[in-house]
Amino acid sequence: MLEFLGKKYKLFSSENFDDFMKALGVGLMTRKMGSSLSPVVELTENNGVYTLKTTSAFKNSEIKFKLNQEFDEETIDGRQVKSVCTLEGNKLIQKQKGEKETTIEREFTPTEMKAIMKVDDIVCTRVYKVQE
């Protein structure tokens, strides 16, 4: 996983994101704004504490966590959830528990990060490419 730390991944493609946000109860205006953005994601680590930063023209977010330890998170759309992140090979798997249970599986490769996001029976796939 170390080789993927500190790299910046910019959104390249997205499918089913609007349906995913709708299932989470995100309002129309926020969904429209969210769908129009190309955020950049960066994962770093310092002394066992990981930081996942998402930056965009509209809103930035940052979560800090230790693997396998539950933490409180305010999602980028304002929901309060309890999250746990685990590492399986080159996949960072985040489970969010709130009104709905959400899974975000981020798979890192040398050239991209693929985020597969699931809520209810909806699957959203977002592909991010490494920024040079």
Side-chain angles (χ1 to χ4, degrees), residues 5-6 21 24 26 30-31 54 59 63 77 83 85 94 100-101 103 105 110 121 132:
L5 295 174
M21 289 189 290
L24 290 171
V26 177
T30 304
R31 289 200 324 266
T54 305
K59 198 167 187 184
I63 59 171
D77 56 31
S83 286
C85 293
Q94 180 179 3
K100 300 225 174 183
E101 198 162 305
T103 303
E105 185 177 289
D121 59 350
E132 296 303 327

Side-chain angles (χ1 to χ4, degrees), residues 107-120:
E107 183 176 6
F108 293 87
T109 72
T111 56
E112 67 180 31
M113 177 193 75
K114 185 190 292 185
I116 298 171
M117 301 153 54
K118 299 174 187 167
V119 63
D120 298 334

Side-chain angles (χ1 to χ4, degrees), residues 21 28-37 58:
M21 289 189 290
L28 180 65
M29 293 308 289
T30 304
R31 289 200 324 266
K32 292 283 181 221
M33 186 67 76
S35 293
S36 71
L37 299 172
F58 174 57

Side-chain angles (χ1 to χ4, degrees), residues 58-72:
F58 174 57
K59 198 167 187 184
N60 299 330
S61 80
E62 180 177 293
I63 59 171
K64 290 183 181 289
F65 59 90
K66 288 186 173 182
L67 293 175
N68 308 312
Q69 289 185 16
E70 188 175 77
F71 61 97
D72 293 317

Side-chain angles (χ1 to χ4, degrees), residues 7-109:
K7 286 190 176 183
K8 293 186 177 188
Y9 296 87
K10 185 173 176 65
L11 184 66
F12 175 76
S13 68
S14 180
E15 51 184 75
N16 252 4
F17 191 51
D18 190 66
D19 288 341
F20 177 80
M21 289 189 290
K22 198 183 290 183
L24 290 171
V26 177
L28 180 65
M29 293 308 289
T30 304
R31 289 200 324 266
K32 292 283 181 221
M33 186 67 76
S35 293
S36 71
L37 299 172
S38 292
V40 174
V41 174
E42 180 182 16
L43 180 67
T44 56
E45 182 267 340
N46 185 8
N47 291 328
V49 177
Y50 287 83
T51 303
L52 186 69
K53 273 188 203 171
T54 305
T55 54
S56 73
F58 174 57
K59 198 167 187 184
N60 299 330
S61 80
E62 180 177 293
I63 59 171
K64 290 183 181 289
F65 59 90
K66 288 186 173 182
L67 293 175
N68 308 312
Q69 289 185 16
E70 188 175 77
F71 61 97
D72 293 317
E73 177 186 0
E74 181 177 336
T75 64
I76 206 154
D77 56 31
R79 291 173 297 120
Q80 299 293 328
V81 297
K82 298 263 187 205
S83 286
V84 175
C85 293
T86 56
L87 198 55
E88 293 178 16
N90 63 337
K91 291 181 183 177
L92 180 67
I93 298 166
Q94 180 179 3
K95 293 197 181 293
Q96 296 174 327
K97 288 185 179 147
E99 268 184 45
K100 300 225 174 183
E101 198 162 305
T102 309
T103 303
I104 305 169
E105 185 177 289
R106 297 176 180 92
E107 183 176 6
F108 293 87
T109 72

